[in-house]
Amino acid sequence: LHSTSRRQRQMCIRDSYIAEQIGKLLDVPVLPTIPFGRSVIHRDFPGTIYITDETYEHYLRDVFSAIRENAI
């Protein structure tokens, strides 16, 4: 989970790659990373995209419900 700024976009790509490689080694499914995060500290920096705690919690609840319902 990341807030998204210019530098952090590169980190998201790297983290996704690492997760995919670990998933292949362990033979487990890997879901896409969440590109936006809760970033109270960085909110005032230009170019930072962030979400509220409430949005984050709802998003995770929906994703985990779908995983459970679809037996992923």
Side-chain angles (χ1 to χ4, degrees), residues 8-38:
Q8 290 168 325
R9 280 186 217 112
Q10 294 170 343
M11 292 171 62
C12 288
I13 293 168
R14 183 199 66 207
D15 292 350
S16 295
Y17 176 78
I18 292 170
E20 289 170 11
Q21 297 308 307
I22 292 171
K24 286 178 187 177
L25 286 172
L26 299 175
D27 194 30
V28 295
V30 175
L31 299 173
T33 58
I34 303 169
F36 304 112
R38 308 169 331 204

Side-chain angles (χ1 to χ4, degrees), residues 29-56:
V30 175
L31 299 173
T33 58
I34 303 169
F36 304 112
R38 308 169 331 204
S39 184
V40 177
I41 296 171
H42 298 104
R43 287 183 181 184
D44 293 331
F45 290 98
T48 300
I49 299 172
Y50 61 89
I51 59 175
T52 64
D53 289 343
E54 183 179 19
T55 300
Y56 177 64

Side-chain angles (χ1 to χ4, degrees), residues 52-72:
T52 64
D53 289 343
E54 183 179 19
T55 300
Y56 177 64
E57 290 170 14
H58 285 268
Y59 177 82
L60 290 179
R61 188 175 302 126
D62 288 348
V63 169
F64 291 136
S65 291
I67 289 169
R68 186 175 42 252
E69 290 172 20
N70 292 296
I72 296 175

